[in-house]
Amino acid sequence: IQVTPYQHPSLLEGLAARCFTPSELETVLVHSLQQLPDPVLVPSLVFRRIEPWNSDDVEAFIQSQMHGFHGSAQPPIGIIPITKRVAQHARCRLWLLEVDGELAGSGGLEFFEDTAVMIAGCVYPEFRRRGIHSAFMNFRLAEAQSADVKIVLVASPAGGPTERNALRVGFSVAYHLMELSQRIPPR
């Protein structure tokens, strides 16, 4: 369960009584598209848009997400079908990131009315620290602007690399979310 710091205190009390405890803090950041940041140029970086009707593209996106977020570990149960639905959803635009023809990550945008949310952005460990994530954020901001979006949101674990990169390209902190997980006590 995710809650904001602005909810009534009785909500946290009720959740605590049901064995929910804080497990993660997330930062939600916002960027107005009135002015875009200067592009971050990464030599030989290509953003290849996936087509939701193309099963090879969808499978490549799924595999990229699994590698980018889970590495060689077993992904959580249910995440592959969820990722497939995202890849095929009409509100989403997704890309594979390629450097020198080699897959380096993936991610996208989800659109709703005049807002877009940066989703699923990952850069493989061997391609990090080259400015690829920042370049991808700037690319998605430009894509959102060309779709007549007014603002873009992105969420990140507090203090994480996505938050740092978002601040670097001009996002501002909008609010924080606290994630609560239920711990069932042994009987």
Side-chain angles (χ1 to χ4, degrees), residues 57-139:
D57 278 2
V58 170
E59 184 59 28
F61 182 78
I62 292 168
Q63 293 308 311
S64 175
Q65 291 287 290
M66 295 310 110
H67 177 68
F69 285 106
H70 307 291
S72 60
Q74 183 71 22
I77 293 174
I79 197 69
I80 291 174
I82 291 169
T83 305
K84 183 176 183 177
R85 283 195 301 275
V86 168
Q88 295 175 323
H89 200 283
R91 289 194 331 218
C92 296
R93 282 190 207 161
L94 305 170
W95 294 269
L96 296 172
L97 312 179
E98 297 174 349
V99 175
D100 293 322
E102 192 174 345
L103 202 53
S106 56
L109 288 166
E110 181 178 0
F111 294 90
F112 182 73
E113 296 178 357
D114 63 353
T115 304
V117 179
M118 289 187 183
I119 59 171
C122 67
V123 175
Y124 300 168
E126 60 270 27
F127 289 95
R128 292 181 186 155
R129 305 190 94 48
R130 298 187 197 181
I132 293 170
H133 195 232
S134 293
F136 190 34
M137 286 186 149
N138 282 350
F139 171 82

Side-chain angles (χ1 to χ4, degrees), residues 150-161:
K150 304 296 181 226
I151 61 169
V152 174
L153 300 167
V154 67
S156 169

